[in-house]
């Protein structure tokens, strides 16, 4: 814990070192909290160095702490899985146990992967000009507040809903246990989704920056197009118009640099988080499939098997099912928004009238347009699939196919027995 507290102090020092200006304070507080939580959970093996260039550096002490957390977590939860297996309690139709097993596996893989990527993560965090970009683009604080609320729903709201479901289930099935024992079951679910939540928060900030960039670009387009109107041309001298075009060209170059930074840094961060995102999506995909199958199974047991309908079990299963669907939907929603924002930049550039614009300004527009076409920003974790609106339809079709196979298999077994 001493190393964790030291890491928190270093992180707070980093963000106090940056100028605290209005909208940045909220972002700074969230980042400090995330760094503290990542370090505490053993997912961050870097420290902030005040010497030299003031940046994050790899720390062997924090790596040792991360390894200790990984060993303890693995020994405790793998042992529980083994005991369930030996006692014939490995019931995959139990939503709670299924989620616990899947999230335990994902969490262990995340622990190992983050330790291997520690140096890359340190370089990434040291080279991202986040606060400089926020200051230069003057992002509306109301937008950041809305984004923070959305992130808090995912980071805090979903675990609270799961905790309530776990407490209710434990109170019914194991009333002799104290309610805090449910945190033992919740912990793997928090760890397995923590990196995914970090990526979600980063994409929200990137989306806000990109949308603000597009707003600035629209204002620039309006000025340029207005300057080329006949009435406007006669009001000012040629020298004044050339000077104004040069100013707008400089501003356009700044926006082009910011656009490139957003796309490149977002792509790099995706590369670091790819394994966690893919594992999390697989986990949610399996959870959704089994969740729908469990809902069918409860109904089939009632109408075909003649048993009493387990409304409580169906309700608990529904909570986990809803959380998995919401996790996939929110990730898709934010990813699709940032994709739309990056493509909107190219559309806005096409609206600029260049017939009577200054030659330097025309060069800047062509260079920016070429940059947008060259980057072609996409969100493809590990190059396996693209995260956009098509992901929802892919998930629905996959869940439908798997669920249909499971239902057909169950019905055939029931009819054979009858």
């Amino acid at each position: 814990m001493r190393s964790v507290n030291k890491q928190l102090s270093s992180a707070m020092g980093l963000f106090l070192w940056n100028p605290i200006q209005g909208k940045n304070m909220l972002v700074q507080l969230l980042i400090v909290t995330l760094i503290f939580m990542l370090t505490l959970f053993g997912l961050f093996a870097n420290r902030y160095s005040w010497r030299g260039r003031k940046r994050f550096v790899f720390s062997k002490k924090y790596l040792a702490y991360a390894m200790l957390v990984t060993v303890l977590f693995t020994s405790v939860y793998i042992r529980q899985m083994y005991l369930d297996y030996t006692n014939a309690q490995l019931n995959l139709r139990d939503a709670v146990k299924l989620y616990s097993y899947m999230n335990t596996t994902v969490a262990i893989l995340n622990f190992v992967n983050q330790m291997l990527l520690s140096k890359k993560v340190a370089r990434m965090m040291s080279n991202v000009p986040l606060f400089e970009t926020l200051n230069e683009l003057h992002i509306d604080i109301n937008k950041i507040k809305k984004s923070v609320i959305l992130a808090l729903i995912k980071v805090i709201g979903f675990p609270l809903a799961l905790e309530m479901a776990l407490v209710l289930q434990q109170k019914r099935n194991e009333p002799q246990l104290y309610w805090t024992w449910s945190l033992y079951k919740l912990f793997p679910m928090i760890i397995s989704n923590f990196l995914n939540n970090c990526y979600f928060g980063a994409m929200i900030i990137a989306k806000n920056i990109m949308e603000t960039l597009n707003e600035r670009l629209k204002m620039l387009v309006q000025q340029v197009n207005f300057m080329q109107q006949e009435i406007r041309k006669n009001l000012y001298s040629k020298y004044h118009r050339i000077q104004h075009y040069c100013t707008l060209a400089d501003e356009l170059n700044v926006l082009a640099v910011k656009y490139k930074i957003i796309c490149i840094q977002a792509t790099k961060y995706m590369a670091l988080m790819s394994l966690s995102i893919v594992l999390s999506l697989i986990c949610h995909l399996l959870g959704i499939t089994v969740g729908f199958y469990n809902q069918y199974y409860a109904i089939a047991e009632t109408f075909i098997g003649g048993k009493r309908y387990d409304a409580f079990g169906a309700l608990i299963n529904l909570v986990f099912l809803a959380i998995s669907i919401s996790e996939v939907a929110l990730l898709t929603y934010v990813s699709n928004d940032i994709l739309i924002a990056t493509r909107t930049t190219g559309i806005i550039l096409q609206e600029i009238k260049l017939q009577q614009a200054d030659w330097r300004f025309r060069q800047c527009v062509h260079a920016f347009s070429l940059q947008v076409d060259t980057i072609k920003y996409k969100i493809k974790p590990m190059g396996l699939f693209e995260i956009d609106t098509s992901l929802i339809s892919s998930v629905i079709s996959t869940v439908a196919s798997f669920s249909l196979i499971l239902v057909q298999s169950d019905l055939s077994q029931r009819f054979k027995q009858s």
Side-chain angles (χ1 to χ4, degrees):
M1 285 303 297
R2 181 181 300 176
S3 62
V4 175
N5 293 331
K6 187 178 179 181
Q7 175 70 12
L8 176 60
S9 301
S10 300
M12 291 182 66
L14 166 66
F15 297 111
L16 290 174
W17 175 71
N18 289 279
I20 300 179
Q21 299 175 353
K23 58 182 175 296
N24 288 350
M25 292 184 63
L26 191 57
V27 179
Q28 291 168 356
L29 178 61
L30 290 174
I31 294 177
V32 169
T33 304
L34 281 176
I35 291 176
F36 171 68
M37 297 301 292
L38 284 169
T39 307
L40 180 64
F41 292 153
L43 294 168
F44 192 73
N46 302 296
R47 62 178 178 84
Y48 186 73
S49 175
W50 284 94
R51 299 179 181 178
R53 298 174 61 184
K54 294 184 173 62
R55 56 188 301 169
F56 283 97
V57 295
F58 172 72
S59 172
K60 293 182 179 179
K61 293 181 179 179
Y62 295 149
L63 177 62
Y65 174 77
M67 293 177 65
L68 176 63
V69 173
T70 303
V71 171
L72 291 175
F73 180 91
T74 304
S75 60
V76 170
Y77 285 96
I78 293 297
R79 178 177 177 274
Q80 183 62 50
M81 293 173 62
Y82 176 74
L83 291 176
D84 290 342
Y85 175 76
T86 54
N87 296 330
Q89 296 179 351
L90 197 68
N91 184 12
L92 298 181
R93 285 203 297 268
D94 187 334
V96 176
K97 287 189 176 181
L98 175 65
Y99 270 71
S100 179
Y101 299 151
M102 291 191 301
N103 284 284
T104 297
T105 304
V106 172
I108 294 173
L109 292 175
N110 282 340
F111 278 129
V112 177
N113 186 57
Q114 285 301 108
M115 285 189 286
L116 295 176
L117 297 177
S118 294
K119 293 183 179 180
K120 291 184 178 179
V121 172
R123 287 196 297 267
M124 171 72 186
M125 293 188 65
S126 299
N127 295 329
V128 175
L130 175 59
F131 295 101
E132 293 86 345
T133 304
L134 290 174
N135 286 329
E136 292 177 13
L137 291 178
H138 306 291
I139 298 177
D140 185 7
I141 191 171
N142 292 325
K143 289 185 177 181
I144 294 182
K145 285 182 178 179
K146 291 179 181 179
S147 299
V148 168
I149 292 173
L150 183 62
L152 290 177
I153 291 174
K154 187 176 186 299
V155 176
I156 299 178
F158 289 173
L160 283 177
L162 293 175
E163 173 62 12
M164 290 176 62
L166 291 172
V167 170
L168 291 175
Q169 188 193 52
Q170 179 178 289
K171 187 175 181 180
R172 183 196 186 195
N173 299 336
E174 300 171 306
Q176 73 278 7
L177 298 177
Y178 197 59
W179 71 269
T180 52
W181 184 252
S182 61
L183 295 174
Y184 169 80
K185 301 176 182 177
L186 180 67
F187 188 63
M189 304 176 192
I190 294 177
I191 295 296
S192 65
N193 282 305
F194 204 88
L195 295 177
N196 194 23
N197 291 336
C198 290
Y199 173 78
F200 181 79
M203 289 300 100
I204 285 180
I205 298 298
K207 183 193 76 168
N208 288 334
I209 295 175
M210 188 64 73
E211 289 176 348
T212 304
L213 185 149
N214 288 336
E215 291 175 1
R216 289 272 298 272
L217 186 59
K218 286 180 181 178
M219 294 175 60
L220 188 147
V221 171
Q222 292 176 358
Q223 294 183 52
V224 173
N225 293 344
F226 184 66
M227 285 178 61
Q228 297 181 63
Q229 295 178 2
E230 291 297 328
I231 299 177
R232 182 73 174 178
K233 288 171 58 178
N234 297 328
L235 291 178
Y236 300 99
S237 64
K238 182 178 180 181
Y239 173 78
H240 180 272
R241 283 188 281 108
I242 292 176
Q243 189 178 33
H244 197 177
Y245 275 123
C246 288
T247 302
L248 293 175
D250 292 337
E251 184 176 352
L252 188 65
N253 284 334
V254 171
L255 295 179
V257 171
K258 298 302 178 186
Y259 180 91
K260 185 177 181 181
I261 288 174
I262 296 169
C263 293
I264 290 179
Q265 297 297 343
T267 302
K268 289 181 178 179
Y269 193 62
M270 162 58 72
L272 295 177
M273 298 290 110
S274 289
L275 179 61
S276 175
I277 293 172
V278 170
L279 292 175
S280 180
L281 287 174
I282 292 174
C283 183
H284 291 311
L285 178 63
L286 294 175
I288 294 170
T289 302
V290 176
F292 276 116
Y293 175 74
N294 284 343
Q295 296 289 30
Y296 148 79
Y297 189 83
I299 297 174
E301 284 289 285
T302 302
F303 291 98
I304 301 177
K307 297 181 180 180
R308 183 180 178 181
Y309 181 70
D310 186 9
F312 181 83
L315 178 62
I316 298 298
N317 177 74
L318 184 62
V319 171
F320 283 84
L321 176 61
I323 293 297
S324 288
I325 294 176
S326 300
E327 289 274 4
V328 176
L330 281 178
L331 180 62
T332 304
Y333 164 74
V334 172
S335 299
N336 191 66
D337 275 358
I338 192 173
L339 288 174
I340 292 175
T342 55
R343 293 164 187 168
T344 301
T345 304
I347 296 173
I348 297 173
L349 288 171
Q350 294 176 2
E351 297 175 356
I352 302 179
K353 297 178 181 179
L354 300 175
Q355 291 82 358
Q356 301 179 28
D358 180 70
W359 67 271
R360 180 171 177 267
F361 182 80
R362 289 199 299 266
Q363 283 186 335
C364 294
V365 172
H366 293 322
F368 197 172
S369 300
L370 181 61
Q371 176 179 282
V372 174
D373 293 336
T374 303
I375 292 178
K376 292 181 179 179
Y377 177 71
K378 294 182 179 180
I379 303 176
K380 298 184 68 174
M382 301 180 72
L384 298 177
F385 53 87
E386 187 171 357
I387 301 180
D388 53 14
T389 52
S390 63
L391 179 63
I392 292 293
S393 58
S394 299
V395 169
I396 292 175
S397 60
T398 303
V399 168
S401 300
F402 288 164
S403 299
L404 183 61
I405 294 173
L406 293 174
V407 170
Q408 288 178 339
S409 176
D410 180 70
L411 289 176
S412 62
Q413 290 294 329
R414 290 178 184 276
F415 291 138
K416 284 181 181 179
Q417 292 176 0
S418 60

